[in-house]
Amino acid sequence: MPKYIFKRILAGMPIVVVVGILVFFIIHLIPGNPVEVMLGSDATPEDVQILTKKMGLDQPIMVQFGKWSLSALRGDLGNSIYYNSPVVNVLAEKMEPTIIIIVYAMVVAVLIGIPVGVVSAVKRNELPDRLCMGITMLGMSTPAFLLGLLLIMIFSLSLGMFPSVGYRGIEEVGLLKAVFVYLTLPSMTLGLQRAASIARVTRSAMLDVLGENYIRTARAKGLKEYRVIMLHALQNAMAPILTQIGFSIAQLAAGAVVIETIFNIAGIGQVAYFALLRRDYPLIQGYILGIAVIYVAINTAVDILYKFFDPRADIG
């Protein structure tokens, strides 16, 4: 297994490299000068020229890319133009709410998505199936920003159960209050959307498995129905569900940009959004490169879990 993990990490490195190259050049194609954004409209051309030269932005793009690549290989993603601080430090300071939102949303998505998919498959073409698939279709087609605003209107403005915006850290208010008071609505917004897609994949995978001979054999042996469903059918249907869960985690990391902006949460998603507006090139590159690394790590973890649920799986 350690050998396999090492091989998977090596196989994922080209993906990170390609993402890094694409991000660097695409970011620099965006119109706008970060120096002019920093200095404001009152800056003179001389001021802009001096700061541009000081930051090395007057050098050819390939020279800038070479310097950034060599620094990134050493783990140095450069300094944020706006924060005037190392990118790694900025992302580390802001990651607390983002990590909690992603984990919380994933728990919501799995706890809702898998049971709904199982019920829908077992009750195929009956009222529960049609009801579940109708709700999941609605969930998948509703934009995250609209769902977030609806939850704010219902649970914050009407019922007063949660604050509508903002976040107070764990050190300030404690773990439980930080998670369940300030981050429930953002996490539910992201999680409900992903639950819809997980439910549909679960239903499809379960329908394939429920038609297999070993399921009929298990029923013929007199096993109770819930044991047939949970131990025989669901376990053998987990491979595509795990794939969808891994894909969902990457999407949650990207969706945090929208959610943290809507709920005014100072996480790395919101930092990335404002970095894009400020043309803070090093910070944007660091954020997207971090997402790519997480994506590779999650895919490796999902492949390992295949072996856990199906010992016959060849992951070597």
Side-chain angles (χ1 to χ4, degrees), residues 19-236:
V19 169
I21 294 171
L22 290 177
V23 167
F24 184 89
F25 287 103
I26 290 174
I27 291 299
H28 282 75
L29 287 175
I30 299 175
N33 187 340
V35 176
E36 292 178 351
V37 175
M38 286 176 63
L39 296 178
S41 57
D42 296 333
T44 64
E46 290 76 18
D47 294 335
V48 173
Q49 187 177 7
I50 291 171
L51 189 55
T52 300
K53 187 173 183 180
K54 184 179 178 182
M55 295 172 62
L57 297 176
D58 60 331
Q59 296 177 338
I61 186 73
M62 292 306 296
V63 175
Q64 294 183 48
F65 175 70
K67 290 182 176 179
W68 179 77
S69 302
L70 291 175
S71 298
L73 287 174
R74 296 194 299 267
D76 178 10
L77 298 176
N79 282 353
S80 163
I81 295 174
Y82 178 77
Y83 292 95
N84 194 25
S85 176
V87 168
V88 174
N89 292 352
V90 174
L91 295 179
E93 289 172 4
K94 302 291 184 180
M95 70 165 46
E96 178 186 296
T98 305
I99 297 296
I100 296 174
I101 287 174
I102 292 172
V103 173
Y104 195 171
M106 199 66 250
V107 170
V108 170
V110 170
L111 291 181
I112 294 176
I114 292 180
V116 168
V118 170
V119 170
S120 186
V122 173
K123 302 293 182 183
R124 183 182 184 184
N125 294 332
E126 297 180 18
L127 180 60
D129 179 29
R130 294 191 175 92
L131 190 62
C132 289
M133 288 303 100
I135 293 173
T136 56
M137 182 62 73
L138 182 64
M140 291 179 67
S141 57
T142 304
F145 74 89
L146 180 59
L147 184 58
L149 293 177
L150 287 173
L151 292 179
I152 289 174
M153 289 176 62
I154 296 172
F155 294 102
S156 295
L157 302 182
S158 298
L159 301 178
M161 295 173 63
F162 302 101
S164 57
V165 294
Y167 172 71
R168 297 172 69 182
I170 294 174
E171 288 188 0
E172 186 180 359
V173 298
L175 176 63
L176 293 179
K177 189 171 182 180
V179 173
F180 295 109
V181 174
Y182 290 97
L183 297 181
T184 291
L185 290 188
S187 303
M188 291 294 288
T189 303
L190 276 178
L192 288 175
Q193 263 204 329
R194 298 319 309 163
S197 61
I198 291 175
R200 296 190 73 85
V201 171
T202 302
R203 179 183 183 273
S204 176
M206 285 290 292
L207 287 176
D208 289 340
V209 172
L210 288 173
E212 296 290 337
N213 288 332
Y214 59 83
I215 297 296
R216 298 190 190 96
T217 303
R219 283 172 172 156
K221 289 166 66 178
L223 290 179
K224 293 183 178 179
E225 186 63 15
Y226 80 91
R227 290 182 62 86
V228 174
I229 299 300
M230 300 305 295
L231 296 183
H232 294 269
L234 183 57
Q235 184 172 350
N236 285 287

Side-chain angles (χ1 to χ4, degrees), residues 293-315:
V293 171
I294 292 172
Y295 185 79
V296 171
I298 289 170
N299 272 282
T300 303
V302 167
D303 287 348
I304 294 170
L305 285 174
Y306 284 158
K307 187 71 175 176
F308 176 77
F309 283 101
D310 186 359
R312 300 166 301 173
D314 181 13
I315 61 174

